[in-house]
Amino acid sequence: MKNFLDDNFLLQTKTAQTLYHNFAKQMPVIDYHNHLMPDQIANDFMFENITQVWLYGDHYKWRAMRANGIDEHYITGNATDLEKFKKWAETVPYTLRNPLYHWTHLELQRYFDVHEVLCPANAERIYEECTAKLRTPEYSVQNLLRKMKVKTLCTTDDPLDSLEHHQKIKNDGLDIKVLPAFRPDKAMNADDQQALNTYIDQLSALTGRELNDLDAYLSALKSRHDYFAENGCSVSDHGLEQIYAEDYTEEDIKDIYGKIRNEVPLTIEEKTQFKSALLFQFALWDHEKGWVQQYHLGALRNNNDRLLTQLGPDTGFDSIGDLPQGKALSKFLNKLDAQNCLTKTILYNLNPADNELMATMIGNYNDGTVAGKVQWGSAWWFLDQKEGMIKQINTLSNMGLLSRFVGMLTDSRSFLSYPRHEYFRRILCNLFGDDVENGELPDDQEWLGKVIQDICYNNAKEYFNF
């Protein structure tokens, strides 16, 4: 019987162990999509305790704690940080076979050299040990990133963001490249006209322009797109239930914009037309600048109205949606391709039922100009676990070129989440190792090692050209 989380964790064969230890393990990290706070990086923030860095904002853990019957007081409430940590430690033994069990103990090992299994009996001691380390300069935010060999990361930023923290990071000459990513979802969200009008007013104040018509609105948004580019941005991102590709005319959208500003209720069709037009316009700008655009599709967000009102969004009440994805996605990509305006694109699905759809859709728009121009992104959110990663890797292998895959990201709000790259790399090496030892792949470790290193780092480095 193997020991829990030993050096060969998840590596079931000698070949897998060789591929991981000799090739994958040494590779740096490019984290091209996350939700880290740039101000904490810019100011080299130091956390007061492990609860702050580990539990604040982590809706994965919050969901598990609620499922374990933990009162909200100890999750997002006013309990002390030690009390919250103890309640998480109380929950951990019940997360067996949930990826949180692996992530929790990988993070304790990799950052804090704690090799115990977290439980109520040792919770306070581990809290004190990790907290003491976090209060030393070695555990500042920038050093946490260095510890995991992070070379480049992209935060997720609204067009209204000043990017002042990114500017400080660049001016300070940090050895880790920290770049913004343009996420304009609020600018196109016609489902909430009140919020959209507020957003337009904020954009008007920021740009010093009257945004009384559609042309003025698009011009102001374009100025922010340009501003992001001036500050090193070369990546955009959208988090959508589905791609919007409704037919519309320019006059349609001008009329809809007028209704938005005059607070005239929109029909469902008009909302979809507006979102379709804005989404397409953003894609044109991305192509003009040679950016990489990303589409995260399929989340059904904020399902619990009562707790949304009480706690706000991004607090753990989202689920996988079962919305149709294929037809609109094809229509959207095809329209861009027909105008020769399809930039590098990464598609992510949250519903595993869409795996084969995504793996085959990308092949329709790879045109030979760039290796892996249109990518199917790594297993995301609820699929970001062992089985989800294996299914994504196997499906991409069967229907595309795994060897051109740009690999893993964290999609995380936590500076302790980088062992997820290790988790992915171990799973990847194990799959290749199984194939070699089953005689399904040749035992060419030099070539296999190169492919492994490409997926772990080199492909992303070349694809994003940061």
Side-chain angles (χ1 to χ4, degrees):
M1 181 174 63
K2 294 181 64 176
N3 292 325
F4 174 61
L5 265 178
D6 65 6
D7 285 346
N8 291 321
F9 172 60
L10 297 177
L11 305 172
Q12 302 300 319
T13 65
K14 291 294 184 182
T15 302
Q17 293 163 16
T18 298
L19 290 173
Y20 177 74
H21 292 295
N22 292 359
F23 297 98
K25 185 177 181 179
Q26 64 190 266
M27 301 306 289
V29 168
I30 293 176
D31 190 26
Y32 50 88
H33 175 71
N34 62 65
H35 298 275
L36 297 176
M37 301 299 291
D39 61 318
Q40 293 181 334
I41 303 173
N43 297 311
D44 202 15
F45 186 78
M46 293 182 64
F47 293 95
E48 294 180 7
N49 56 61
I50 189 173
T51 300
Q52 289 186 3
V53 67
W54 221 20
L55 292 173
Y56 281 26
D58 191 339
H59 53 80
Y60 288 78
K61 293 188 180 75
W62 295 351
R63 285 172 68 98
M65 292 170 77
R66 291 178 188 127
N68 195 44
I70 303 298
D71 188 272
E72 197 67 31
H73 174 70
Y74 298 101
I75 302 172
T76 60
N78 295 323
T80 67
D81 287 345
L82 176 57
E83 289 172 331
K84 289 179 178 180
F85 185 85
K86 286 182 174 180
K87 288 298 183 180
W88 170 239
E90 181 181 314
T91 300
V92 167
Y94 292 94
T95 66
L96 292 172
R97 305 203 80 243
N98 184 291
L100 285 166
Y101 195 80
H102 286 163
W103 294 348
T104 292
H105 294 103
L106 275 173
E107 291 164 16
L108 285 174
Q109 285 191 16
R110 299 299 177 262
Y111 289 99
F112 302 103
D113 198 29
V114 171
H115 292 261
E116 299 175 65
V117 173
L118 182 61
C119 65
N122 59 21
E124 187 163 353
R125 178 167 48 80
I126 288 177
Y127 176 90
E128 296 296 343
E129 180 179 342
C130 295
T131 293
K133 290 180 178 179
L134 283 165
R135 293 177 179 176
T136 65
E138 182 184 352
Y139 282 79
S140 70
V141 157
Q142 293 177 11
N143 282 326
L144 289 174
L145 294 171
R146 291 188 183 102
K147 190 184 289 286
M148 294 294 110
K149 297 186 290 190
V150 179
K151 296 298 182 183
T152 304
L153 65 88
C154 292
T155 58
T156 303
D157 309 277
D158 188 273
L160 301 183
D161 196 291
S162 69
L163 303 184
E164 60 185 294
H165 303 298
H166 293 86
Q167 293 165 354
K168 182 180 188 303
I169 291 166
K170 181 179 180 181
N171 292 336
D172 288 348
L174 183 65
D175 55 325
I176 302 166
K177 189 169 288 188
V178 180
L179 302 173
F182 187 80
R183 188 168 194 169
D185 295 350
K186 292 180 181 179
M188 57 180 274
N189 184 18
D191 291 328
D192 188 338
Q193 285 179 241
Q194 183 178 356
L196 180 54
N197 265 317
T198 299
Y199 189 89
I200 294 171
D201 291 340
Q202 291 171 337
L203 178 62
S204 176
L206 179 63
T207 58
R209 308 180 188 190
E210 293 292 332
L211 306 183
N212 295 324
D213 57 46
L214 178 67
D215 289 340
Y217 184 49
L218 293 178
S219 178
L221 286 172
K222 177 66 159 54
S223 74
R224 300 307 297 170
H225 198 274
D226 294 341
Y227 178 74
F228 269 59
E230 292 164 6
N231 283 275
C233 180
S234 60
V235 177
S236 71
D237 179 66
H238 298 269
L240 307 171
E241 289 186 352
Q242 57 191 149
I243 288 287
Y244 302 102
E246 188 77 16
D247 291 330
Y248 59 86
T249 67
E250 185 177 347
E251 289 304 313
D252 289 334
I253 307 307
K254 287 182 177 180
D255 181 60
I256 293 168
Y257 184 79
K259 289 182 178 181
I260 291 170
R261 295 305 278 159
N262 290 301
E263 300 182 355
V264 176
L266 302 179
T267 66
I268 293 175
E269 181 183 11
E270 287 173 329
K271 293 176 182 179
T272 305
Q273 285 179 315
F274 186 80
K275 289 185 283 188
S276 300
L278 270 290
L279 193 64
F280 187 74
Q281 186 61 69
F282 295 139
L284 293 179
W285 296 340
D286 291 346
H287 177 264
E288 287 175 5
K289 292 185 173 71
W291 285 11
V292 175
Q293 59 190 9
Q294 302 176 89
Y295 299 96
H296 289 81
L297 306 173
L300 195 61
R301 301 175 188 268
N302 303 318
N303 291 266
N304 189 319
D305 288 342
R306 177 178 61 85
L307 290 171
L308 173 64
T309 300
Q310 179 182 332
L311 302 175
D314 302 321
T315 50
F317 302 99
D318 310 310
S319 61
I320 292 172
D322 59 354
L323 300 162
Q325 301 289 347
K327 189 172 183 180
L329 181 56
S330 175
K331 185 176 180 180
F332 176 72
L333 296 175
N334 194 54
K335 184 178 178 181
L336 289 168
D337 186 77
Q339 298 184 26
N340 197 28
C341 291
L342 179 60
T343 193
K344 294 177 184 176
T345 302
I346 307 177
L347 307 174
Y348 307 83
N349 60 293
L350 195 56
N351 190 337
D354 295 325
N355 279 3
E356 285 76 11
L357 165 63
M358 295 293 170
T360 53
M361 184 64 72
I362 63 173
N364 298 327
Y365 300 100
N366 276 315
D367 54 15
T369 58
V370 176
K373 175 182 175 180
V374 183
Q375 293 267 337
W376 177 29
S378 61
W380 168 51
W381 199 343
F382 293 111
L383 306 184
D384 182 8
Q385 24 80 1
K386 180 182 173 183
E387 183 177 357
M389 290 182 195
I390 290 172
K391 286 181 177 179
Q392 193 269 348
I393 291 169
N394 283 338
T395 305
L396 181 57
S397 299
N398 286 328
M399 299 177 179
L401 293 183
L402 177 65
S403 55
R404 292 299 190 179
F405 180 37
V406 293
M408 189 57 178
L409 47 81
T410 63
D411 188 36
S412 176
R413 290 169 171 80
S414 170
F415 287 96
L416 297 188
S417 65
Y418 282 94
R420 294 183 194 179
H421 281 261
E422 174 187 339
Y423 198 65
F424 167 84
R425 292 174 182 186
R426 287 176 178 272
I427 289 168
L428 178 71
C429 291
N430 193 62
L431 289 171
F432 273 95
D434 282 347
D435 286 351
V436 170
E437 301 217 3
N438 290 335
E440 297 176 51
L441 287 176
D443 187 16
D444 183 350
Q445 292 193 6
E446 181 178 353
W447 176 249
L448 291 174
K450 178 186 182 304
V451 170
I452 291 290
Q453 291 185 330
D454 287 348
I455 296 169
C456 293
Y457 177 77
N458 294 326
N459 287 345
K461 180 181 179 182
E462 182 176 349
Y463 186 79
F464 290 96
N465 195 26
F466 289 131

